[in-house]
């Protein structure tokens, strides 16, 4: 039997050579391949081929990225020297809405979670660390193991999807972001909350297919983390079910 195909939209970055590349971090590919999916990289070429791509895939993963969503998409303030990726925004934001409409399972991680919020009309805090009473959610200084190590606890919303998948009320997560949910988009419900009240996970409650957005990075050393495995196994099961229905129903 074949594997469910999981589309992953690339970032479009200009590298030192001056050329632009479309790229995805390997840890995302490892988490998808390691939990039964077949990763398919999707270039950030905008929304023109979405229908054809949606016919090919059994799920979509929206990854993290050091770039920020352009604030024009959610009524934010343009920041001097902001690191944006307009090509990725133009690809992911309509893609998220189209995937939900097509009953394709989706999982959004960090920037990908922010994209899911913005795609449904939500807004973002742009520099959380500048806000009173809020934690600094940026990654700590240090080596990569330090950067992606546990940073703060989250409370899982009782009887929410994450709580049902994980079975516990609290978890520790890593934190590598300066932006985050300000206002949840239409139909989105919180799934996990940080100690400062920041919404750290959410989903589209009435969607017919699996969808989940998490602000942290479960793909990092996913196999060693029970919450990460619960997330990726649930996503994989939903994508597998989509694959079975498409090919054998
Ligand atoms: N730029 C946004 C989102 C942060 C994010 O996705 N970080 C990922 C770091 C690289 C990786 O692990 O893929 C923000 O700052 O909020």
């Amino acid at each position: 039997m074949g594997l469910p195909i999981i589309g992953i939209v690339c970032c479009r970055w200009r590298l030192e050579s001056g050329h632009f590349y479309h790229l995805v971090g390997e840890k995302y590919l490892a988490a998808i391949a390691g939990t039964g999916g077949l990763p398919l990289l999707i270039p950030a070429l905008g929304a023109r081929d979405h229908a054809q791509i949606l016919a090919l895939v059994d799920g979509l993963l929206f990854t993290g990225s050091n770039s920020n969503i352009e604030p024009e998409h959610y009524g934010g303030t343009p920041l001097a020297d902001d690191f944006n990726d307009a090509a990725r925004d133009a690809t992911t934001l309509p893609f998220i809405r189209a995937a939900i409409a097509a009953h394709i399972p989706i999982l959004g991680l960090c920037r990908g979670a922010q994209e899911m919020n913005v795609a449904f009309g939500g807004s973002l805090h742009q520099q959380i660390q500048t806000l009173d009473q809020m934690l600094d959610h940026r990654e700590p200084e240090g080596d990569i193991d330090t950067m992606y190590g546990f940073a703060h606890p989250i409370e899982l919303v009782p009887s929410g999807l994450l709580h049902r998948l994980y079975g516990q009320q609290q978890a520790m997560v890593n934190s590598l972001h300066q932006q985050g949910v300000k206002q949840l988009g239409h139909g989105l419900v919180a799934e996990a909350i940080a100690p400062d009240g920041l919404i750290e996970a959410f989903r589209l409650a009435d969607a017919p297919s699996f969808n989940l957005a998490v602000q942290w990075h479960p793909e990092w050393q996913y196999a060693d983390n029970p919450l990460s495995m619960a997330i990726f196994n649930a996503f994989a099961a939903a994508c597998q079910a989509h694959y079975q229905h498409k090919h054998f129903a």
Side-chain angles (χ1 to χ4, degrees):
M1 180 180 358
L3 298 175
I5 295 176
I6 314 301
I8 307 177
V9 176
C10 297
C11 297
R12 178 180 180 264
W13 285 6
R14 184 198 291 266
L15 301 190
E16 281 182 15
S17 67
H19 294 293
F20 282 95
Y21 289 78
H22 294 235
L23 64 167
V24 168
E26 185 175 82
K27 57 188 168 67
Y28 299 105
L29 306 178
I32 292 299
T35 51
L38 175 58
L40 176 71
L41 273 64
I42 299 169
L45 297 177
R48 64 185 182 196
D49 308 318
H50 279 172
Q52 199 172 348
I53 295 170
L54 288 176
L56 287 178
V57 302
D58 301 295
L60 287 169
L61 176 73
F62 298 93
T63 71
S65 176
N66 289 325
S67 69
N68 295 318
I69 299 169
E70 290 196 310
E72 68 196 45
H73 292 295
Y74 58 86
T77 307
L79 299 175
D81 303 325
D82 201 3
F83 174 32
N84 301 122
D85 185 344
R88 170 156 171 174
D89 296 344
T91 306
T92 56
L93 296 177
F95 213 5
I96 288 166
R97 293 187 290 266
I100 291 287
H103 301 185
I104 303 279
I106 63 174
L107 176 61
L109 309 178
C110 207
R111 191 199 210 264
Q114 295 165 6
E115 289 168 340
M116 285 176 63
N117 186 42
V118 170
F120 287 97
S123 59
L124 303 177
H125 292 302
Q126 293 178 258
Q127 295 177 311
I128 298 171
Q129 63 278 7
T130 66
L131 302 175
D132 290 341
Q133 315 298 321
M134 298 298 283
L135 297 173
D136 185 343
H137 286 260
R138 294 173 295 181
E139 62 276 19
E141 298 283 333
D143 62 16
I144 196 163
D145 289 318
T146 303
M147 290 167 60
Y148 284 85
F150 288 147
H152 63 72
I154 55 169
E155 286 286 329
L156 277 60
V157 171
S159 304
L161 172 64
L162 262 183
H163 183 218
R164 284 181 275 122
L165 292 175
Y166 183 52
Q168 298 184 43
Q169 192 86 43
Q170 270 211 348
M172 286 298 290
V173 295
N174 52 33
S175 186
L176 299 96
H177 63 107
Q178 63 173 339
Q179 306 203 338
V181 174
K182 182 176 184 180
Q183 184 72 37
L184 274 180
H186 311 298
L188 298 178
V189 295
E191 283 281 336
I193 313 285
D196 57 5
L198 188 76
I199 294 172
E200 286 270 340
F202 53 89
R203 65 186 177 90
L204 192 64
D206 296 337
S209 50
F210 178 97
N211 72 95
L212 182 63
V214 302
Q215 186 60 72
W216 64 94
H217 287 269
E219 81 286 355
W220 173 255
Q221 299 181 348
Y222 70 96
D224 300 333
N225 182 309
L227 175 58
S228 301
M229 286 301 287
I231 291 169
F232 279 104
N233 283 335
F235 179 53
C239 297
Q240 180 65 34
H242 184 276
Y243 173 88
Q244 294 285 342
H245 179 77
K246 183 162 71 175
H247 295 283
F248 304 107

